[in-house]
Amino acid sequence: MREITLHLLDIAQNSVSAAARNIEISVEEDLHTDRLKAVVQDDGRGMDEDLLERVVDPFVTSRTTRKVGLGIPLLKAAAEACNGGLWITSRPGQGTRLEVAFQRSHIDRMPLGDLAGTMLTLVVAYPHIHWTFQYRGDGAEFIFDDEPIKRELEDIPFTEPSILAFIRELLEEGIAGVQHAIALVEASPSPMPVVGAL
Amino acid sequence: MPAVKSLEELKRLKEEALEKRKAQATTGRAQITVGMGTCGIAAGARDTMKAILDVIEDARLSDIIVTQTGCIGLCEWEPIVEVVVGQTPKVIYGKVSPKIARQIMQEHVEGGKVLAEYLIPA
């Protein structure tokens, strides 16, 4: 997969499959530490240690009890190739937290991709789940929580055209705001010392 | 952080939607399911779903449910889109690009015509 957000979509699907009622996705771009970090946290059924091991590295153990996909191992390999990593903590009955981090400036780091579109498809497709999204970058922050919107809408679905437009614009504008703030910092002169100066 | 698109605006949109509902008294026109397992996502299912949502917005189609499902074991046919219009049987399309998704929305969901060329062969 060519975008970090496609992986996040894949991981969020796992959370949905694990019968989560609350799913939180957060993405943070920190220019000072040069990290790009994403976290998906759910309150689904969680995993025991055995399954957790197989989810991260499906090739080292025989898998007989259930199917384990390649999504997470591929993301872990991509993160590790960019001086980052992937960590999962999970407890049966309590939920799962997955964190992935990359060196933000690494040449091989895949692009973040369409964050707004990813969030929109999740919110629309799974209205019974309480979704929270956070996107942070150098002082700017966008938080989306679908709970107040649902409370207001009652039984009007998110697929009602005007509501869909409202949510799409809300996500797009919020994310663009953070990306604008990041771009401003990136455009300013680098405070980092020049390595190998003349 | 910019002030959220206001709750006032949302309230207004809700009232309008309620008015429209009363006027039309529609009942679940169509249900669309997009395969969104790892295989589907890798094949481009997110952009396929985005195209479906774009058509709903642009053509102002009400009473359409759009949902996602995991891998259904036909990975080579992803992105897969299932369409149920009204009481008609489920139709399963394969290799649905955003362009084909728009066509399905216009001709099948709106027009009621099944697009035979994109069906997954049984």
Side-chain angles (χ1 to χ4, degrees):
Chain A
M1 285 187 257
R2 311 164 310 278
E3 296 175 10
I4 291 171
T5 47
L6 289 177
H7 281 282
L8 297 181
L9 179 57
D10 188 34
I11 292 159
Q13 295 290 340
N14 296 341
S15 297
V16 173
S17 305
R21 303 191 68 90
N22 297 279
I23 304 178
E24 257 183 68
I25 300 177
S26 68
V27 175
E28 189 173 350
E29 298 195 53
D30 189 329
L31 275 66
H32 302 287
T33 58
D34 195 20
R35 303 293 277 177
L36 192 159
K37 184 178 108 171
V39 176
V40 179
Q41 183 154 17
D42 71 51
D43 61 352
R45 70 173 75 92
M47 294 178 279
D48 58 26
E49 281 180 30
D50 182 50
L51 180 56
L52 194 54
E53 206 172 293
R54 279 179 293 145
V55 155
V56 176
D57 199 347
F59 297 120
V60 295
T61 44
S62 59
R63 49 187 166 121
T64 50
T65 48
R66 60 161 293 193
K67 192 178 67 166
V68 173
L70 279 171
I72 290 171
L74 288 173
L75 179 59
K76 184 169 191 269
E80 286 171 353
C82 297
N83 298 325
L86 182 147
W87 305 272
I88 306 178
T89 49
S90 187
R91 287 181 72 180
Q94 295 195 8
T96 300
R97 180 183 188 277
L98 182 147
E99 175 176 338
V100 62
F102 297 79
Q103 179 191 333
R104 189 175 173 277
S105 65
H106 198 286
I107 188 90
D108 290 329
R109 199 259 298 165
M110 65 182 107
L112 185 58
D114 183 3
L115 198 51
T118 301
M119 292 175 175
L120 182 70
T121 59
L122 286 170
V123 168
V124 169
Y126 301 111
H128 61 287
I129 289 171
H130 171 209
W131 293 97
T132 315
F133 301 125
Q134 294 178 45
Y135 180 40
R136 275 191 219 96
D138 277 82
E141 183 180 51
F142 169 62
I143 298 175
F144 174 91
D145 181 341
D146 70 356
E147 195 58 40
I149 299 175
K150 282 175 185 161
R151 207 180 314 126
E152 181 58 44
L153 288 177
E154 294 164 46
D155 63 338
I156 303 283
F158 282 175
T159 44
E160 175 62 29
S162 60
I163 305 299
L164 191 57
F166 177 89
I167 295 169
R168 180 181 55 73
E169 284 167 15
L170 177 62
L171 289 167
E172 284 174 356
E173 286 166 15
I175 288 160
V178 175
Q179 280 172 344
H180 181 66
I182 293 171
L184 284 180
V185 175
E186 271 186 314
S188 64
S190 169
M192 284 198 276
V194 179
V195 179
L198 293 174
Chain B
M1 184 180 150
V4 171
K5 292 175 72 65
S6 70
L7 218 52
E8 294 307 312
E9 188 183 347
L10 190 63
K11 281 196 170 89
R12 183 178 58 75
L13 294 173
K14 177 194 167 192
E15 294 307 323
E16 285 174 8
L18 283 172
E19 285 301 311
K20 208 166 82 181
R21 278 205 158 177
K22 268 187 240 161
Q24 294 175 337
T26 43
T27 49
R29 179 150 63 166
Q31 175 155 2
I32 298 162
T33 307
V34 182
M36 204 69 81
T38 305
C39 48
I41 295 169
R46 183 192 63 195
D47 295 340
T48 296
M49 176 152 173
K50 271 278 285 170
I52 290 167
L53 298 181
D54 282 347
V55 174
I56 290 175
E57 223 186 273
D58 294 343
R60 310 196 70 75
L61 306 177
S62 284
D63 288 303
I64 293 179
I65 298 165
V66 184
T67 186
Q68 301 178 355
T69 188
C71 174
I72 59 167
L74 296 168
C75 309
E76 69 275 26
W77 286 97
E78 296 284 356
I80 292 171
V81 173
E82 300 177 352
V83 177
V84 179
V85 178
Q87 303 299 311
T88 61
K90 178 162 76 182
V91 173
I92 305 179
Y93 293 106
K95 301 190 179 176
V96 182
S97 64
K99 186 165 170 256
I100 296 172
R102 282 187 200 97
Q103 202 182 333
I104 291 169
M105 291 302 289
Q106 282 150 11
E107 297 185 29
H108 185 171
V109 176
E110 275 192 89
K113 186 187 124 201
V114 175
L115 298 166
E117 65 267 46
Y118 303 126
L119 296 178
I120 296 179

PDB file of all heavy atoms in Angstrom, chain B residues 69-90:
ATOM      1  N   THR B  69     -17.226  -3.875   4.039  1.00  0.00           N
ATOM      2  CA  THR B  69     -17.100  -5.224   4.574  1.00  0.00           C
ATOM      3  C   THR B  69     -15.656  -5.684   4.396  1.00  0.00           C
ATOM      4  O   THR B  69     -14.897  -5.068   3.657  1.00  0.00           O
ATOM      5  CB  THR B  69     -18.098  -6.185   3.890  1.00  0.00           C
ATOM      6  OG1 THR B  69     -18.064  -7.436   4.571  1.00  0.00           O
ATOM      7  CG2 THR B  69     -17.755  -6.423   2.429  1.00  0.00           C
ATOM      8  N   GLY B  70     -15.293  -6.767   5.065  1.00  0.00           N
ATOM      9  CA  GLY B  70     -13.927  -7.275   4.967  1.00  0.00           C
ATOM     10  C   GLY B  70     -13.741  -8.116   3.717  1.00  0.00           C
ATOM     11  O   GLY B  70     -14.544  -8.073   2.788  1.00  0.00           O
ATOM     12  N   CYS B  71     -12.679  -8.891   3.699  1.00  0.00           N
ATOM     13  CA  CYS B  71     -12.369  -9.758   2.558  1.00  0.00           C
ATOM     14  C   CYS B  71     -13.440 -10.830   2.419  1.00  0.00           C
ATOM     15  O   CYS B  71     -13.787 -11.491   3.381  1.00  0.00           O
ATOM     16  CB  CYS B  71     -11.005 -10.407   2.801  1.00  0.00           C
ATOM     17  SG  CYS B  71     -10.556 -11.632   1.570  1.00  0.00           S
ATOM     18  N   ILE B  72     -13.977 -11.012   1.210  1.00  0.00           N
ATOM     19  CA  ILE B  72     -14.990 -12.057   1.008  1.00  0.00           C
ATOM     20  C   ILE B  72     -14.416 -13.217   0.196  1.00  0.00           C
ATOM     21  O   ILE B  72     -15.149 -14.051  -0.321  1.00  0.00           O
ATOM     22  CB  ILE B  72     -16.288 -11.510   0.368  1.00  0.00           C
ATOM     23  CG1 ILE B  72     -16.022 -10.863  -1.000  1.00  0.00           C
ATOM     24  CG2 ILE B  72     -16.959 -10.503   1.282  1.00  0.00           C
ATOM     25  CD1 ILE B  72     -17.298 -10.601  -1.800  1.00  0.00           C
ATOM     26  N   GLY B  73     -13.086 -13.255   0.070  1.00  0.00           N
ATOM     27  CA  GLY B  73     -12.431 -14.399  -0.559  1.00  0.00           C
ATOM     28  C   GLY B  73     -12.322 -14.320  -2.072  1.00  0.00           C
ATOM     29  O   GLY B  73     -11.985 -15.285  -2.724  1.00  0.00           O
ATOM     30  N   LEU B  74     -12.614 -13.137  -2.620  1.00  0.00           N
ATOM     31  CA  LEU B  74     -12.493 -12.951  -4.071  1.00  0.00           C
ATOM     32  C   LEU B  74     -11.489 -11.836  -4.346  1.00  0.00           C
ATOM     33  O   LEU B  74     -11.747 -10.926  -5.121  1.00  0.00           O
ATOM     34  CB  LEU B  74     -13.861 -12.590  -4.667  1.00  0.00           C
ATOM     35  CG  LEU B  74     -14.962 -13.652  -4.566  1.00  0.00           C
ATOM     36  CD1 LEU B  74     -16.319 -13.050  -4.917  1.00  0.00           C
ATOM     37  CD2 LEU B  74     -14.666 -14.814  -5.515  1.00  0.00           C
ATOM     38  N   CYS B  75     -10.348 -11.940  -3.672  1.00  0.00           N
ATOM     39  CA  CYS B  75      -9.379 -10.838  -3.652  1.00  0.00           C
ATOM     40  C   CYS B  75      -8.996 -10.350  -5.051  1.00  0.00           C
ATOM     41  O   CYS B  75      -8.766  -9.165  -5.254  1.00  0.00           O
ATOM     42  CB  CYS B  75      -8.129 -11.239  -2.889  1.00  0.00           C
ATOM     43  SG  CYS B  75      -8.477 -11.927  -1.263  1.00  0.00           S
ATOM     44  N   GLU B  76      -8.928 -11.284  -6.005  1.00  0.00           N
ATOM     45  CA  GLU B  76      -8.499 -10.880  -7.347  1.00  0.00           C
ATOM     46  C   GLU B  76      -9.533  -9.995  -8.041  1.00  0.00           C
ATOM     47  O   GLU B  76      -9.232  -9.381  -9.061  1.00  0.00           O
ATOM     48  CB  GLU B  76      -8.148 -12.108  -8.197  1.00  0.00           C
ATOM     49  CG  GLU B  76      -9.319 -12.996  -8.586  1.00  0.00           C
ATOM     50  CD  GLU B  76      -9.682 -14.040  -7.520  1.00  0.00           C
ATOM     51  OE1 GLU B  76      -9.414 -13.809  -6.327  1.00  0.00           O
ATOM     52  OE2 GLU B  76     -10.257 -15.077  -7.902  1.00  0.00           O
ATOM     53  N   TRP B  77     -10.759  -9.959  -7.475  1.00  0.00           N
ATOM     54  CA  TRP B  77     -11.808  -9.126  -8.073  1.00  0.00           C
ATOM     55  C   TRP B  77     -11.964  -7.777  -7.378  1.00  0.00           C
ATOM     56  O   TRP B  77     -12.827  -6.983  -7.734  1.00  0.00           O
ATOM     57  CB  TRP B  77     -13.146  -9.874  -8.064  1.00  0.00           C
ATOM     58  CG  TRP B  77     -13.178 -10.951  -9.094  1.00  0.00           C
ATOM     59  CD1 TRP B  77     -12.922 -12.277  -8.917  1.00  0.00           C
ATOM     60  CD2 TRP B  77     -13.464 -10.790 -10.492  1.00  0.00           C
ATOM     61  NE1 TRP B  77     -13.026 -12.944 -10.108  1.00  0.00           N
ATOM     62  CE2 TRP B  77     -13.356 -12.064 -11.091  1.00  0.00           C
ATOM     63  CE3 TRP B  77     -13.787  -9.686 -11.307  1.00  0.00           C
ATOM     64  CZ2 TRP B  77     -13.563 -12.270 -12.454  1.00  0.00           C
ATOM     65  CZ3 TRP B  77     -13.996  -9.896 -12.648  1.00  0.00           C
ATOM     66  CH2 TRP B  77     -13.879 -11.175 -13.215  1.00  0.00           C
ATOM     67  N   GLU B  78     -11.148  -7.525  -6.386  1.00  0.00           N
ATOM     68  CA  GLU B  78     -11.259  -6.246  -5.681  1.00  0.00           C
ATOM     69  C   GLU B  78     -10.843  -5.098  -6.596  1.00  0.00           C
ATOM     70  O   GLU B  78     -10.021  -5.317  -7.487  1.00  0.00           O
ATOM     71  CB  GLU B  78     -10.375  -6.259  -4.429  1.00  0.00           C
ATOM     72  CG  GLU B  78     -10.783  -7.277  -3.374  1.00  0.00           C
ATOM     73  CD  GLU B  78     -12.011  -6.884  -2.558  1.00  0.00           C
ATOM     74  OE1 GLU B  78     -12.526  -5.765  -2.757  1.00  0.00           O
ATOM     75  OE2 GLU B  78     -12.461  -7.694  -1.756  1.00  0.00           O
ATOM     76  N   PRO B  79     -11.355  -3.912  -6.382  1.00  0.00           N
ATOM     77  CA  PRO B  79     -12.384  -3.545  -5.411  1.00  0.00           C
ATOM     78  C   PRO B  79     -13.755  -4.107  -5.809  1.00  0.00           C
ATOM     79  O   PRO B  79     -14.163  -3.953  -6.953  1.00  0.00           O
ATOM     80  CB  PRO B  79     -12.407  -2.010  -5.467  1.00  0.00           C
ATOM     81  CG  PRO B  79     -11.135  -1.617  -6.145  1.00  0.00           C
ATOM     82  CD  PRO B  79     -10.790  -2.743  -7.053  1.00  0.00           C
ATOM     83  N   ILE B  80     -14.421  -4.713  -4.814  1.00  0.00           N
ATOM     84  CA  ILE B  80     -15.730  -5.308  -5.034  1.00  0.00           C
ATOM     85  C   ILE B  80     -16.807  -4.398  -4.429  1.00  0.00           C
ATOM     86  O   ILE B  80     -16.637  -3.874  -3.325  1.00  0.00           O
ATOM     87  CB  ILE B  80     -15.783  -6.711  -4.394  1.00  0.00           C
ATOM     88  CG1 ILE B  80     -14.853  -7.671  -5.164  1.00  0.00           C
ATOM     89  CG2 ILE B  80     -17.220  -7.255  -4.371  1.00  0.00           C
ATOM     90  CD1 ILE B  80     -14.657  -9.018  -4.509  1.00  0.00           C
ATOM     91  N   VAL B  81     -17.877  -4.217  -5.185  1.00  0.00           N
ATOM     92  CA  VAL B  81     -18.988  -3.388  -4.711  1.00  0.00           C
ATOM     93  C   VAL B  81     -20.284  -4.180  -4.856  1.00  0.00           C
ATOM     94  O   VAL B  81     -20.585  -4.682  -5.934  1.00  0.00           O
ATOM     95  CB  VAL B  81     -19.085  -2.065  -5.520  1.00  0.00           C
ATOM     96  CG1 VAL B  81     -20.339  -1.290  -5.135  1.00  0.00           C
ATOM     97  CG2 VAL B  81     -17.843  -1.213  -5.292  1.00  0.00           C
ATOM     98  N   GLU B  82     -21.009  -4.311  -3.745  1.00  0.00           N
ATOM     99  CA  GLU B  82     -22.306  -4.994  -3.775  1.00  0.00           C
ATOM    100  C   GLU B  82     -23.401  -3.940  -3.757  1.00  0.00           C
ATOM    101  O   GLU B  82     -23.335  -2.984  -2.985  1.00  0.00           O
ATOM    102  CB  GLU B  82     -22.476  -5.898  -2.548  1.00  0.00           C
ATOM    103  CG  GLU B  82     -21.414  -6.972  -2.449  1.00  0.00           C
ATOM    104  CD  GLU B  82     -21.550  -7.817  -1.170  1.00  0.00           C
ATOM    105  OE1 GLU B  82     -22.373  -7.458  -0.290  1.00  0.00           O
ATOM    106  OE2 GLU B  82     -20.832  -8.805  -1.062  1.00  0.00           O
ATOM    107  N   VAL B  83     -24.400  -4.143  -4.600  1.00  0.00           N
ATOM    108  CA  VAL B  83     -25.490  -3.170  -4.698  1.00  0.00           C
ATOM    109  C   VAL B  83     -26.830  -3.872  -4.519  1.00  0.00           C
ATOM    110  O   VAL B  83     -27.105  -4.872  -5.181  1.00  0.00           O
ATOM    111  CB  VAL B  83     -25.461  -2.458  -6.077  1.00  0.00           C
ATOM    112  CG1 VAL B  83     -26.636  -1.490  -6.203  1.00  0.00           C
ATOM    113  CG2 VAL B  83     -24.149  -1.718  -6.283  1.00  0.00           C
ATOM    114  N   VAL B  84     -27.628  -3.346  -3.602  1.00  0.00           N
ATOM    115  CA  VAL B  84     -29.006  -3.818  -3.461  1.00  0.00           C
ATOM    116  C   VAL B  84     -29.900  -2.598  -3.623  1.00  0.00           C
ATOM    117  O   VAL B  84     -29.818  -1.650  -2.849  1.00  0.00           O
ATOM    118  CB  VAL B  84     -29.262  -4.471  -2.084  1.00  0.00           C
ATOM    119  CG1 VAL B  84     -30.709  -4.915  -1.964  1.00  0.00           C
ATOM    120  CG2 VAL B  84     -28.331  -5.647  -1.866  1.00  0.00           C
ATOM    121  N   VAL B  85     -30.721  -2.617  -4.657  1.00  0.00           N
ATOM    122  CA  VAL B  85     -31.637  -1.504  -4.885  1.00  0.00           C
ATOM    123  C   VAL B  85     -33.048  -1.971  -4.540  1.00  0.00           C
ATOM    124  O   VAL B  85     -33.532  -2.941  -5.133  1.00  0.00           O
ATOM    125  CB  VAL B  85     -31.578  -1.028  -6.353  1.00  0.00           C
ATOM    126  CG1 VAL B  85     -32.582   0.104  -6.584  1.00  0.00           C
ATOM    127  CG2 VAL B  85     -30.179  -0.552  -6.710  1.00  0.00           C
ATOM    128  N   GLY B  86     -33.658  -1.294  -3.553  1.00  0.00           N
ATOM    129  CA  GLY B  86     -35.019  -1.648  -3.146  1.00  0.00           C
ATOM    130  C   GLY B  86     -35.134  -3.118  -2.793  1.00  0.00           C
ATOM    131  O   GLY B  86     -34.361  -3.641  -1.997  1.00  0.00           O
ATOM    132  N   GLN B  87     -36.086  -3.789  -3.404  1.00  0.00           N
ATOM    133  CA  GLN B  87     -36.340  -5.196  -3.087  1.00  0.00           C
ATOM    134  C   GLN B  87     -35.641  -6.148  -4.062  1.00  0.00           C
ATOM    135  O   GLN B  87     -35.837  -7.354  -3.999  1.00  0.00           O
ATOM    136  CB  GLN B  87     -37.849  -5.475  -3.114  1.00  0.00           C
ATOM    137  CG  GLN B  87     -38.667  -4.601  -2.187  1.00  0.00           C
ATOM    138  CD  GLN B  87     -38.270  -4.779  -0.724  1.00  0.00           C
ATOM    139  OE1 GLN B  87     -38.171  -5.903  -0.234  1.00  0.00           O
ATOM    140  NE2 GLN B  87     -38.015  -3.676  -0.038  1.00  0.00           N
ATOM    141  N   THR B  88     -34.843  -5.609  -4.978  1.00  0.00           N
ATOM    142  CA  THR B  88     -34.202  -6.465  -5.985  1.00  0.00           C
ATOM    143  C   THR B  88     -33.041  -7.243  -5.361  1.00  0.00           C
ATOM    144  O   THR B  88     -32.492  -6.831  -4.352  1.00  0.00           O
ATOM    145  CB  THR B  88     -33.665  -5.618  -7.162  1.00  0.00           C
ATOM    146  OG1 THR B  88     -32.690  -4.699  -6.646  1.00  0.00           O
ATOM    147  CG2 THR B  88     -34.775  -4.848  -7.846  1.00  0.00           C
ATOM    148  N   PRO B  89     -32.669  -8.397  -5.968  1.00  0.00           N
ATOM    149  CA  PRO B  89     -31.572  -9.193  -5.402  1.00  0.00           C
ATOM    150  C   PRO B  89     -30.227  -8.477  -5.475  1.00  0.00           C
ATOM    151  O   PRO B  89     -30.041  -7.559  -6.271  1.00  0.00           O
ATOM    152  CB  PRO B  89     -31.544 -10.453  -6.274  1.00  0.00           C
ATOM    153  CG  PRO B  89     -32.665 -10.365  -7.226  1.00  0.00           C
ATOM    154  CD  PRO B  89     -33.238  -8.995  -7.182  1.00  0.00           C
ATOM    155  N   LYS B  90     -29.309  -8.933  -4.620  1.00  0.00           N
ATOM    156  CA  LYS B  90     -27.978  -8.326  -4.548  1.00  0.00           C
ATOM    157  C   LYS B  90     -27.188  -8.549  -5.834  1.00  0.00           C
ATOM    158  O   LYS B  90     -27.210  -9.633  -6.400  1.00  0.00           O
ATOM    159  CB  LYS B  90     -27.232  -8.949  -3.368  1.00  0.00           C
ATOM    160  CG  LYS B  90     -25.815  -8.443  -3.206  1.00  0.00           C
ATOM    161  CD  LYS B  90     -25.289  -8.724  -1.819  1.00  0.00           C
ATOM    162  CE  LYS B  90     -24.887 -10.176  -1.615  1.00  0.00           C
ATOM    163  NZ  LYS B  90     -24.432 -10.426  -0.229  1.00  0.00           N
TER     164      LYS B  90
END
